[in-house]
Amino acid sequence: MENPFAFLNPDFFRRASVFPGSLGSFRYRFQSQGKRDDGSVQAWVYENVSFPLAQDVETETFPWTEEGVAALRNWLEERLAQRGWEPYRIPYGEPPDSQAAGD
């Protein structure tokens, strides 16, 4: 996978103050505070559940600058390499036993 966070640049964080996203089962969330070149961006990564229910959460805060956003991209790539990911899928239960279904 080639640089999945290349889209992140300082102007990206002007879109909304809170931005959740995912790369398959790898979940992340950003929250910007202040203004570009004088604010910060906090980032979270967590397991494949909703953010309020997440327990395995890592967070880091970066300056809202070119250098800070570059550090954020690196941090996300490191977390992705450590945590891994798989394509998103809806977790259904086990299929019924075909013999039991025929009885």
Side-chain angles (χ1 to χ4, degrees):
M1 176 181 309
E2 190 175 319
N3 200 354
F5 303 106
F7 68 94
L8 292 176
N9 61 50
D11 289 331
F12 173 85
F13 299 103
R14 291 183 179 176
R15 294 180 179 187
S17 61
V18 175
F19 181 87
S22 66
L23 181 61
S25 60
F26 180 80
R27 302 275 179 123
Y28 54 88
R29 181 181 180 102
F30 308 124
Q31 182 171 0
S32 59
Q33 295 180 337
K35 296 180 181 180
R36 182 182 170 161
D37 296 324
D38 192 33
S40 62
V41 176
Q42 186 170 5
W44 294 266
V45 295
Y46 52 101
E47 71 266 17
N48 193 23
V49 298
S50 69
F51 185 68
L53 298 176
Q55 295 182 11
D56 185 17
V57 179
E58 293 180 71
T59 186
E60 190 73 39
T61 302
F62 301 89
W64 190 355
T65 61
E66 290 284 344
E67 296 81 13
V69 174
L72 168 59
R73 283 192 304 267
N74 290 335
W75 183 78
L76 287 168
E77 289 172 16
E78 290 171 3
R79 301 285 85 66
L80 179 60
Q82 289 175 354
R83 289 174 171 254
W85 73 281
E86 55 186 63
Y88 180 76
R89 59 183 164 71
I90 298 173
Y92 293 107
E94 291 293 318
D97 184 10
S98 60
Q99 288 183 346
D103 290 338

